[in-house]
Amino acid sequence: MKQSLFSLAVAAALAATPAIAADIHKAPPEGFKKVSSLVHLPDYIPGLGTLYLDPATAPVGPYLGYDKSGKLVHVTYMIPLKQIEERKGFADLGRGAAGVKIDHTDVVFNPGHPGMMEAHYHITQWLIPRSAQEKM
């Protein structure tokens, strides 16, 4: 049963499509802040890039990841395991990040880290091929 609930959370994340800023591929929308200015993390995280978040959407996100050249390379959501187990819905997750072309999606369990100490899943929608992702 938990598997089907998790599948619903993933589907909700992938289906959200509200409007976004036209230049999202080059800079985060208004109101997004560097995650490193909000929690104790480096400005650039190898494998993820420079992350931006609208604090009003924390901790779920979307988190926008930009490479060293300032290009948007992924959109990540952090879905708390507890909220999945409680069967919480996640509508409108794409606010601020819809309209991007997704190359592939990774769903990875994380036991916790600065900014999200509880167990959760990262749902990362990559805009770049896996070969480019591995070089970040």
Side-chain angles (χ1 to χ4, degrees):
M1 181 146 200
K2 287 182 184 178
Q3 179 68 26
S4 63
L5 294 175
F6 182 70
S7 298
L8 291 173
V10 171
L14 299 176
T17 58
I20 59 162
D23 62 351
I24 191 170
H25 290 88
K26 297 179 183 175
E30 188 175 324
F32 277 65
K33 307 287 183 204
K34 259 189 193 179
V35 171
S36 61
S37 73
L38 303 171
V39 298
H40 185 68
L41 287 172
D43 279 349
Y44 187 90
I45 301 170
L48 290 176
T50 302
L51 300 175
Y52 290 84
L53 168 72
D54 176 348
T57 67
V60 174
Y63 294 79
L64 306 179
Y66 291 82
D67 67 11
K68 289 182 180 177
S69 70
K71 176 184 167 191
L72 180 66
V73 293
H74 71 81
V75 177
T76 296
Y77 304 91
M78 294 192 307
I79 309 295
L81 183 60
K82 181 180 178 183
Q83 291 181 354
I84 292 171
E85 291 170 346
E86 292 172 351
R87 302 179 183 184
K88 179 177 176 11
F90 296 94
D92 201 22
L93 284 179
R95 185 176 86 55
V100 295
K101 184 178 178 192
I102 306 302
D103 181 272
H104 65 282
T105 301
D106 293 334
V107 179
V108 178
F109 176 78
N110 190 296
H113 53 72
M116 178 69 132
M117 296 308 292
E118 66 183 283
H120 59 282
Y121 279 91
H122 287 192
I123 301 172
T124 303
Q125 299 172 311
W126 290 95
L127 286 60
I128 57 175
R130 191 165 303 280
S131 58
Q133 171 191 344
E134 293 168 355
K135 295 175 185 173
M136 287 195 56

